[in-house]
Amino acid sequence: MLKVLVLFLLLIAGVVLGPMIAGHQGYVLIQTDNWNVETSVTGLVIILILSLLVILFIEWVLRRLFRTGARTRGWFTGRKRRSAQRHTQSALMKLAEGDYKQAEKLLSKNADHADQPVANYLLAAEAAQQRGDEVRANQHLERASELSENDTIPVEITRVRLQLARNEDHAARHGIDRLLEVAPRHPEVLRLAEQAYIRTGAWGSLLDILPSMQKSQVNDEVQREALQQQAWLGLMNQAMADQGSEGLKKWWQNQSRKTRQETALQVAMAEHLIECDDPDTAQNIVLEGLKRQYDDRLVLLMPRIKSGDPQSLEKALRQQIKQHGATPLLHSTLGQMLMRHGEWQQAAEAFQQALAQRPDAFDYAWLADVYDRLHRPEDAAKMRREGLLLTLKTNPAP
């Protein structure tokens, strides 16, 4: 616009000043070594104006040519972009249908021109993995990594997901550890970490991420508690496998008081100690747990504990009966403990009270054994018949 204005002003000046200087055109001499150029001032001005017009024309022609080239390139680029959009939309439908081969093909075609090329390549990688083509999956993943620039979290999440699908558990755990450093509360990272840590037995690491899972609302409260107990049980198993009963007790003592008061852990700890042939420590844990809170799971462990102080178990059972009433489980357990010490009459009374509240095949069998010891064969036979009838009623033949 400025150039056109200058040219317009020059033309006006020529029209106004031309008649004024007519007959007074002056003389211009341009001299070089080999030739001379002679003209009037008016002629020189005309030459300059014509030269400027030629330059402007050439510039206009060049601009039109370059603009046409840019438009052509833009048309081709836009065509590829539109094609990529159509392919992506079709691919999403194929993914929903489970046609992973076609989905991968559509996602990767013109993916560089898609609105989100990284997303296209990541979805293509997962589609290739679904149909078992690990080579293609890796190729798509690497291309996504090249295009991701600074935002590598989606790429690494997909990489870990593929590794878990291939059962490359330790590689997935390594990737998860790196992801947690940069995105410790990312919900999908935490979900993948849960899988990787469970598969590799990284129970301590699983416990470490539980607070982040709670803050990010990954899983509900019941599921998180189940994960916590699973992690503790895993740590117990590791301690028992490494150092036996002593290692298990040492691990237990290193836990917080709140942890040691968890009933599920007390039950698991007692079971592990019974396996390790350490009934005295198992008995202490069971009795401590019952003092704090009654739980059927602790009572069920009592007959399995063969400690040197069975009287403490019997005393605790009678105390529980006073506090919680004559429940069938408490009387049945007391009867089993009395059988162990040969107190047959008291054992018979305990089993009778348990059966009076609810029929149970095991109690019938134990009471029959007690009657045998008391030399009451008819009563013993009757109890076995009752137990057999109950078993047949509960589990009818097909």
Side-chain angles (χ1 to χ4, degrees):
M1 182 63 71
L2 181 61
K3 295 177 181 179
V4 175
L5 179 61
V6 171
L7 179 60
F8 184 71
L9 292 175
L10 289 175
L11 289 173
I12 292 176
V15 172
V16 174
L17 297 177
M20 295 175 61
I21 63 174
H24 305 282
Q25 297 184 12
Y27 178 76
V28 176
L29 173 63
I30 300 174
Q31 186 175 24
T32 65
D33 291 340
N34 300 321
W35 48 271
N36 296 331
V37 177
E38 297 179 4
T39 184
S40 64
V41 173
T42 303
L44 179 62
V45 170
I46 293 173
I47 291 172
L48 291 174
I49 292 173
L50 291 175
S51 299
L52 180 60
L53 288 173
V54 171
I55 292 172
L56 290 175
F57 176 76
I58 294 172
E59 180 190 19
W60 177 82
V61 172
L62 292 175
R63 187 166 59 247
R64 293 286 295 180
L65 289 174
F66 286 122
R67 186 176 298 171
T68 301
R71 288 177 179 176
T72 303
R73 289 193 300 272
W75 183 83
F76 281 109
T77 302
R79 181 174 177 274
K80 292 181 179 179
R81 184 178 296 109
R82 290 190 295 272
S83 176
Q85 290 175 347
R86 290 196 302 270
H87 290 153
T88 301
Q89 292 173 357
S90 300
L92 293 177
M93 296 301 296
K94 293 298 181 181
L95 279 177
E97 296 172 5
D99 188 352
Y100 298 112
K101 182 177 181 180
Q102 190 67 16
E104 180 206 347
K105 179 180 178 181
L106 291 171
L107 284 166
S108 58
K109 192 172 184 179
N110 291 331
D112 287 348
H113 300 280
D115 293 336
Q116 296 290 335
V118 174
N120 274 51
Y121 281 115
L122 292 180
L123 289 173
E126 296 208 30
Q129 181 61 42
Q130 286 288 345
R131 62 186 187 84
D133 192 341
E134 296 184 5
V135 175
R136 291 283 294 173
N138 289 335
Q139 290 175 351
H140 296 316
L141 193 62
E142 291 307 314
R143 181 56 181 159
S145 180
E146 294 172 1
L147 297 174
S148 62
E149 297 179 353
N150 296 328
D151 188 13
T152 60
I153 292 178
V155 177
E156 295 306 317
I157 286 176
T158 303
R159 191 187 307 277
V160 170
R161 191 182 292 118
L162 297 183
Q163 289 169 340
L164 289 172
R166 301 168 187 170
N167 294 320
E168 299 173 1
D169 300 329
H170 291 282
R173 179 184 171 183
H174 180 67
I176 279 295
D177 289 338
R178 290 184 300 176
L179 275 171
L180 286 172
E181 293 178 0
V182 296
R185 293 187 183 178
H186 193 293
E188 184 62 17
V189 172
L190 292 170
R191 278 188 282 266
L192 293 173
E194 174 191 336
Q195 296 181 49
Y197 290 154
I198 289 175
R199 292 190 186 185
T200 57
W203 307 115
S205 298
L206 181 59
L207 287 174
D208 290 339
I209 66 172
L210 286 177
S212 296
M213 294 178 72
Q214 181 179 4
K215 293 177 181 177
S216 301
Q217 297 182 345
V218 176
N219 298 336
D220 56 31
E221 187 65 27
V222 175
Q223 291 172 320
R224 288 193 295 270
E225 288 181 0
L227 283 176
Q228 187 179 52
Q229 292 183 11
Q230 184 179 4
W232 277 328
L233 291 175
L235 291 172
M236 285 184 191
N237 290 328
Q238 288 179 353
M240 186 173 70
D242 293 340
Q243 301 178 10
S245 175
E246 292 302 318
L248 193 58
K249 288 189 288 186
K250 183 178 179 181
W251 177 86
W252 182 253
Q253 291 302 321
N254 289 334
Q255 302 309 304
S256 66
R257 183 178 179 182
K258 181 180 179 181
T259 300
R260 293 200 303 270
Q261 290 177 346
E262 290 282 342
T263 303
L265 294 185
Q266 291 172 342
V267 173
M269 186 67 184
E271 289 179 335
H272 281 69
L273 288 168
I274 292 171
E275 288 184 38
C276 291
D277 196 21
D278 190 352
D280 293 332
T281 306
Q283 177 173 303
N284 291 336
I285 291 176
V286 169
L287 294 179
E288 288 296 325
L290 287 173
K291 285 179 182 178
R292 183 176 177 273
Q293 181 180 1
Y294 174 81
D295 193 284
D296 287 348
R297 293 171 293 178
L298 293 171
V299 175
L300 287 169
L301 288 173
M302 287 184 168
R304 297 172 55 190
I305 299 175
K306 298 177 175 59
S307 68
D309 184 21
Q311 290 77 16
S312 296
L313 292 174
E314 293 179 22
K315 182 180 178 181
L317 280 170
R318 297 185 189 278
Q319 184 66 29
Q320 294 297 323
I321 291 173
K322 290 180 182 179
Q323 292 179 357
H324 303 284
T327 67
L329 176 60
L330 288 172
H331 276 297
S332 176
T333 305
L334 180 60
Q336 295 173 58
M337 299 300 298
L338 292 169
M339 283 181 65
R340 186 182 299 172
H341 309 139
E343 299 178 17
W344 305 113
Q345 186 58 46
Q346 295 183 46
E349 294 173 358
F351 286 125
Q352 288 168 0
Q353 292 186 55
L355 288 169
Q357 298 179 62
R358 58 98 178 91
D360 182 83
F362 289 105
D363 285 346
Y364 279 125
W366 282 318
L367 183 54
D369 292 340
V370 171
Y371 281 151
D372 283 334
R373 293 287 185 168
L374 293 173
H375 306 290
R376 297 167 58 178
E378 293 181 359
D379 291 332
K382 181 180 178 181
M383 292 299 102
R384 290 191 172 93
R385 284 197 301 273
E386 294 291 338
L388 179 60
L389 291 174
L390 180 61
T391 302
L392 293 175
K393 182 179 178 181
T394 306
N395 303 298

